Amino acid sequence: MILSIISALSYGILAIIGGIIGYIQANSQVSLFSGSISGLLLIFAAYFQLQGQVWALILAVLVTTVLVVVFAVRLAKTRKFMPAGLMTILGILALAVMVNQIVALR
């Protein structure tokens, strides 16, 4: 369970940092808003997982899946590794840890 908490927390922090960087570099309020919301959802999911709430793991998987899809589409459009490629790879790794945790719970 601890690895899924760490992966949700880490990916959430990266999403927030990425949103802030997107806002600073491109003045993109959408990046700031979406990065902050998704990052906070992942951080809350990690917190509630720590409290023993199973639904929080499902929330983390859903948010991470949405982010992976968004970043994969962005990578396909731009063909630039930063930030879309990096966030896609890290998201897939975090998602693998979380799904492994769901399988282990059953």
Side-chain angles (χ1 to χ4, degrees):
M1 183 82 134
I2 193 76
L3 284 178
S4 65
I5 294 170
I6 292 171
S7 63
L9 183 63
S10 301
Y11 200 59
I13 291 170
L14 283 174
I16 292 172
I17 291 171
I20 293 169
I21 290 172
Y23 178 73
I24 291 171
Q25 288 184 345
N27 201 22
S28 173
Q29 292 180 349
V30 173
S31 291
L32 180 62
F33 181 73
S34 61
S36 297
I37 295 298
S38 59
L40 287 174
L41 282 173
L42 285 167
I43 291 170
F44 286 138
Y47 173 76
F48 285 114
Q49 283 182 65
L50 194 58
Q51 301 301 318
Q53 302 292 323
V54 177
W55 60 266
L57 179 57
I58 296 168
L59 174 65
V61 167
L62 291 174
V63 172
T64 304
T65 301
V66 169
L67 287 175
V68 166
V69 169
V70 167
F71 283 118
V73 168
R74 190 173 297 162
L75 177 63
K77 284 183 181 179
T78 64
R79 304 272 191 232
K80 293 182 181 178
F81 182 74
M82 286 299 288
L86 178 66
M87 289 299 284
T88 301
I89 291 170
L90 293 176
I92 290 170
L93 291 173
L95 193 58
V97 169
M98 292 174 201
V99 169
N100 186 34
Q101 183 62 44
I102 288 175
V103 170
L105 286 176
R106 293 188 178 218

